[in-house]
Amino acid sequence: MANLLALAVLTVVVQRPMHPYEMASVLRARGKDQDMPLKWGSFYTVVRNLEKHGLLEAVESGRQGARPERTVYRITDAGRREAEDWTRELLSTPQPEPSAFGAGLSVMGGLGPDEVAALLRRRLELLRERIEAERRTLEEERAELPRLFVVESEYALAMREAQAAWVRSLLAELDGGTFPELDGWRAYHRTGHLPPGMADLAERGRPAE
């Protein structure tokens, strides 16, 4: 089961039985959609799948007034073990985490170096704004919550700061002219052709047919 929403549900229901609407409300209130990709449209499907696999079980169903019938679920022993094992794996084992920024870097040669530098400066400015905002939010969270409940915010801020530092170093190379093969990159965008040395390397990087 690879859907992180399922893990989020298990970690909420472990506290007490809840109906799905309450589960979703608690997760939103805790900002879990900021920590992991959550697809709210599939929420009820996820809950039903957890029940199907014996990780949740229905304990009661009821209706209040004109509201739709709501089923309250509790976590099973198997669900508790699954949540614990899943958490262990996430903490201990690095997994591929594709990023849109990484994808952009992989094809940035399609733009000229001056434009890339301008775009990175824009990104760095946006990163500075977000870092400042996240620092303020983190200080507020630390004043109200035990550290156990803010470590994911600390991690997100640290990753944002690390990215900003890396972008600054790349910009320094581009602005200072020390980026390797910078002249060849510029020539490519003037002429539409890679210099011989870079062309050979590009061909070498293509998969064999």
Side-chain angles (χ1 to χ4, degrees):
M1 192 176 294
N3 190 339
L4 287 175
L5 180 53
L7 175 60
V9 168
L10 291 175
T11 56
V12 165
V13 183
V14 74
Q15 299 171 18
R16 57 181 171 82
M18 298 182 189
H19 52 72
Y21 181 81
E22 187 178 10
M23 299 173 199
S25 298
V26 171
L27 288 172
R28 283 196 178 97
R30 294 179 180 175
K32 288 304 177 185
D33 50 340
Q34 305 299 316
D35 307 329
M36 56 182 73
L38 303 182
K39 297 180 180 179
W40 298 110
S42 61
F43 194 89
Y44 284 87
T45 300
V46 168
V47 172
R48 285 193 294 269
N49 284 337
L50 288 169
E51 182 185 21
K52 177 182 175 181
H53 287 88
L55 306 178
L56 291 180
E57 62 183 5
V59 291
E60 62 178 272
S61 290
R63 184 192 305 271
Q64 292 183 345
R67 292 180 179 178
E69 185 177 58
R70 289 180 174 175
T71 301
V72 174
Y73 295 89
R74 68 182 174 196
I75 195 168
T76 64
D77 289 341
R80 197 181 300 270
R81 289 193 298 271
E82 177 69 19
E84 292 172 352
D85 290 344
W86 202 343
T87 302
R88 291 185 183 106
E89 182 180 356
L90 289 174
L91 289 174
S92 67
T93 309
Q95 298 290 338
E97 297 178 11
S99 83
F101 183 44
L105 291 171
S106 73
V107 294
M108 73 178 189
L111 303 175
D114 293 337
E115 183 178 4
V116 167
L119 293 169
L120 290 176
R121 278 190 285 274
R122 174 59 178 157
R123 184 181 192 89
L124 190 57
E125 182 59 33
L126 291 172
L127 283 171
R128 287 185 186 127
E129 293 174 3
R130 293 182 185 180
I131 286 170
E132 289 175 5
E134 288 180 11
R135 283 175 178 163
R136 290 193 296 269
T137 299
L138 182 57
E139 287 307 310
E140 292 171 2
E141 290 177 349
R142 283 172 171 163
E144 299 175 2
L145 299 168
R147 190 177 177 205
L148 178 62
F149 300 118
V150 300
V151 288
E152 67 270 29
S153 298
E154 292 179 5
Y155 173 74
L157 176 59
M159 293 300 99
R160 194 95 64 191
E161 290 173 334
Q163 184 185 139
W166 187 86
V167 170
R168 278 193 294 270
S169 69
L170 179 57
L171 268 172
E173 290 185 66
L174 292 171
D175 292 340
T178 60
F179 188 87
E181 303 294 345
L182 186 59
D183 290 340
W185 185 4
R186 291 188 191 281
Y188 167 64
H189 282 275
R190 284 198 309 270
T191 67
H193 300 286
L194 286 171
M198 291 183 71
D200 292 343
L201 289 172
E203 286 294 327
R204 212 177 297 168
R206 289 184 179 179
E209 296 182 359

